[in-house]
Amino acid sequence: MLPMNHPTSGNELLRGGYDYTNPNNPLQYTPASPYDLGFKWTANSQEAELLVNWDNGKATIWAHDQGGESLEVPQASQAKMTLGGSQVANADFSADWYYCNANNTHIFEPTNLAFTGSIGQTAKLNWNFSYALTEGSTDTIASELSLSTTGTNPKASISYQLTLNGDLTRGTDCFTEGFDVQSGSFTFTSSAGSDSFTFHINVTGIQLDQNGNPTRVDLSGYVEENGQRALTFSGYLDQDDLNGQDTCPGENVLLSFRDGALTAEQWLQANGYCR
């Protein structure tokens, strides 16, 4: 039997160069240093090339999935794409993989991920994504994503920030079995030129019954349009709201608009959304 840290044949990251500029006669080539993987093809009558460096300052490692398969995974990678010799895209990736002390091996479950880059020349789409799991007396999952344009008229962007606090449980193989959320927040923002929109919700507490079903969720938040607060809300959802038994939920959530306040239930009734 192979030891747990022994790589399984065939699960290595792909390497080498593959030239498909002539589809009828594909060739292999050696990618330029420091890249491990390359693809060439023809796009818009120009040669396109994608290059990937799997170990950009940190060596790849082997991690096991829940089926026991060993997979080669990157810790820091870099990629770029060129068209006619000019760079049109780039990306950087990094990851931390959970180390299972019980089995003396990394597992195929990340504790941190980061992915940044852009595509385009004069007009670009830029992205930035992150994920982080922090374990302690309270476990936290945090994730962010932003997409934005440069060189466009108007410039535009969308983004979100998500944080979940709770209790994470792991099995004997160290893989996550569940995550009981106790609180969290979510913010979504978009903009195009001078127009902007923001939605934010903060969950300060979640009460569960003996079966793990939510019986009460305390929350607050707001909506902003072009930098002006259009709506704030606060209150709680009760068990009937959460299990769908209430034909018109939200009697305990107060909505405050610029011109007055009413409950979420009253707002739903006024707009014909209640059953």
Side-chain angles (χ1 to χ4, degrees), residues 15-64:
R15 291 176 172 81
Y18 306 88
D19 186 343
Y20 296 97
T21 52
N22 181 356
N24 297 318
N25 185 30
L27 302 171
Q28 293 190 8
Y29 72 101
T30 300
S33 179
Y35 297 99
D36 303 302
L37 175 65
F39 290 99
K40 291 182 181 180
W41 68 97
T42 301
N44 298 326
S45 301
Q46 299 181 84
E47 183 180 275
E49 184 177 26
L50 174 65
L51 293 165
V52 180
N53 178 11
W54 291 124
D55 48 359
N56 184 34
K58 294 184 72 175
T60 62
I61 61 173
W62 289 86
H64 284 78

Side-chain angles (χ1 to χ4, degrees), residues 6-258:
H6 187 93
T8 301
S9 177
N11 290 342
E12 299 90 350
L13 293 166
L14 187 61
R15 291 176 172 81
Y18 306 88
D19 186 343
Y20 296 97
T21 52
N22 181 356
N24 297 318
N25 185 30
L27 302 171
Q28 293 190 8
Y29 72 101
T30 300
S33 179
Y35 297 99
D36 303 302
L37 175 65
F39 290 99
K40 291 182 181 180
W41 68 97
T42 301
N44 298 326
S45 301
Q46 299 181 84
E47 183 180 275
E49 184 177 26
L50 174 65
L51 293 165
V52 180
N53 178 11
W54 291 124
D55 48 359
N56 184 34
K58 294 184 72 175
T60 62
I61 61 173
W62 289 86
H64 284 78
D65 64 16
Q66 280 193 284
E69 287 286 329
S70 184
L71 312 169
E72 185 184 14
V73 294
Q75 297 187 93
S77 300
Q78 186 180 59
K80 75 172 183 178
M81 177 181 167
T82 60
L83 183 62
S86 298
Q87 182 170 303
V88 294
N90 68 281
D92 288 279
F93 171 83
S94 64
D96 292 325
W97 304 93
Y98 188 88
Y99 189 80
C100 181
N101 288 305
N103 294 324
N104 193 31
T105 183
H106 287 92
I107 62 171
F108 191 58
E109 188 173 290
T111 56
N112 285 279
L113 291 174
F115 184 53
T116 62
S118 65
I119 185 169
Q121 289 178 293
T122 303
K124 288 186 177 182
L125 172 65
N126 312 289
W127 64 82
N128 190 336
F129 169 79
S130 67
Y131 165 87
L133 168 64
T134 303
E135 296 182 67
S137 56
T138 298
D139 304 316
T140 301
I141 294 174
S143 177
E144 295 187 14
L145 170 68
S146 66
L147 300 172
S148 64
T149 63
T150 53
T152 60
N153 188 18
K155 293 182 179 179
S157 67
I158 60 172
S159 66
Y160 79 76
Q161 296 85 40
L162 172 67
T163 301
L164 299 174
N165 305 303
D167 183 22
L168 182 144
T169 56
R170 293 187 179 275
T172 56
D173 60 359
C174 294
F175 281 90
T176 298
E177 291 187 337
F179 188 86
D180 292 330
V181 179
Q182 299 167 351
S183 63
S185 64
F186 175 77
T187 303
F188 172 83
T189 304
S190 65
S191 68
S194 60
D195 294 326
S196 64
F197 171 85
T198 299
F199 170 78
H200 173 79
I201 184 170
N202 190 40
V203 176
T204 55
I206 300 176
Q207 297 179 19
L208 306 174
D209 63 19
Q210 60 183 4
N211 297 317
N213 300 313
T215 59
R216 173 169 168 152
V217 174
D218 292 86
L219 52 83
S220 62
Y222 60 83
V223 174
E224 286 186 353
E225 293 179 335
N226 299 329
Q228 298 293 319
R229 192 66 55 93
L231 165 69
T232 60
F233 57 90
S234 63
Y236 67 91
L237 300 175
D238 60 26
Q239 187 169 5
D240 289 340
D241 296 332
L242 297 166
N243 63 23
Q245 295 299 310
D246 196 333
T247 57
C248 198
E251 67 273 13
N252 300 305
V253 178
L254 182 65
L255 307 179
S256 298
F257 296 90
R258 293 173 186 171

